[in-house]
Amino acid sequence: MRKFATLLLAGTMAVSALATAAYAENPMVGGAAMFANKTIVENAVNSKDHTTLVAAVKAAGLVETLQGAGPFTVFAPTNEAFAALPAGTVDTLLKPENKDKLVKILTCHVIGAKAMGADVAAMAKADGGTHKVKTAGGCELSLKADGGKVTVTDENGNVANVTIADVEQSNGVIHVIDKVLLPKM
């Protein structure tokens, strides 16, 4: 009986170790833990690096959408990315009269599918190095993966680097980027 209990315990420990390895922990973003069982919005509000993005999502009325079932892939610009825009741009976009423009810009950061870094790399490779994708806002982004580095190019030729990839959410995935992607206006 003791031998059976030892084998059962060893088997349970092995299964537990495999389960833990299969579900790697999400990376921290903006000093906060990101939880795969929470939505994009529930996680983003905890990142000190994304306060501008969260304020913009609220001003655009997109909170409910990004808490929806998805799946979504969100290329999430940091506060520094927003700060790099011309002076006054963010304040102007957050005004109620500019809501449509803000919605267009933000939805150009969202793809209506879950695309992990490995998926992006595979699509780019299959398409000769660059994969074109339409966003929820109707923009076309060019996704490239080279040597483990993923970049996203907007319609104006601005290139954003993915600085933190594969932050899993209950309704998709976030990839943190270092530039704001802009649609052709």
Side-chain angles (χ1 to χ4, degrees):
M1 184 69 169
R2 185 179 293 186
K3 188 174 186 177
F4 175 75
T6 302
L7 286 173
L8 182 60
L9 179 60
T12 301
M13 289 171 56
V15 169
S16 177
L18 285 173
T20 301
Y23 296 100
E25 191 173 316
N26 259 342
M28 300 269 291
V29 176
M34 298 286 117
F35 300 98
N37 64 343
K38 292 189 176 194
T39 67
I40 290 164
V41 173
E42 289 171 328
N43 276 319
V45 298
N46 295 317
S47 168
K48 67 177 173 55
D49 291 344
H50 291 90
T51 56
T52 305
L53 177 61
V54 170
V57 166
K58 288 178 181 178
L62 293 172
V63 170
E64 190 174 313
T65 300
L66 292 175
Q67 285 181 323
F72 304 109
T73 296
V74 175
F75 295 101
T78 61
N79 294 339
E80 287 182 6
F82 280 102
L85 293 171
T89 300
V90 174
D91 290 335
T92 300
L93 286 171
L94 293 177
K95 292 180 180 178
E97 62 267 24
N98 294 319
K99 182 178 178 180
D100 290 344
K101 190 179 227 182
L102 181 60
V103 167
K104 176 73 171 173
I105 290 169
L106 292 176
T107 56
C108 282
H109 290 79
V110 180
I111 299 170
K114 183 178 179 180
M116 301 298 285
D119 301 324
V120 172
M123 290 183 286
K125 184 177 180 182
D127 289 348
T130 302
H131 179 73
K132 304 265 187 193
V133 63
K134 285 283 186 191
T135 68
C139 302
E140 184 177 83
L141 300 177
S142 298
L143 308 175
K144 293 182 182 181
D146 186 26
K149 179 180 172 184
V150 175
T151 59
V152 184
T153 305
D154 68 18
E155 296 172 328
N156 300 296
N158 299 311
V159 179
N161 296 294
V162 173
T163 58
I164 302 173
D166 297 342
V167 186
E168 290 202 66
Q169 316 290 300
S170 65
N171 59 346
V173 61
I174 291 174
H175 300 292
V176 177
I177 58 173
D178 64 358
K179 285 212 176 18
V180 176
L181 304 169
L182 299 170
K184 281 212 185 262
M185 297 271 203

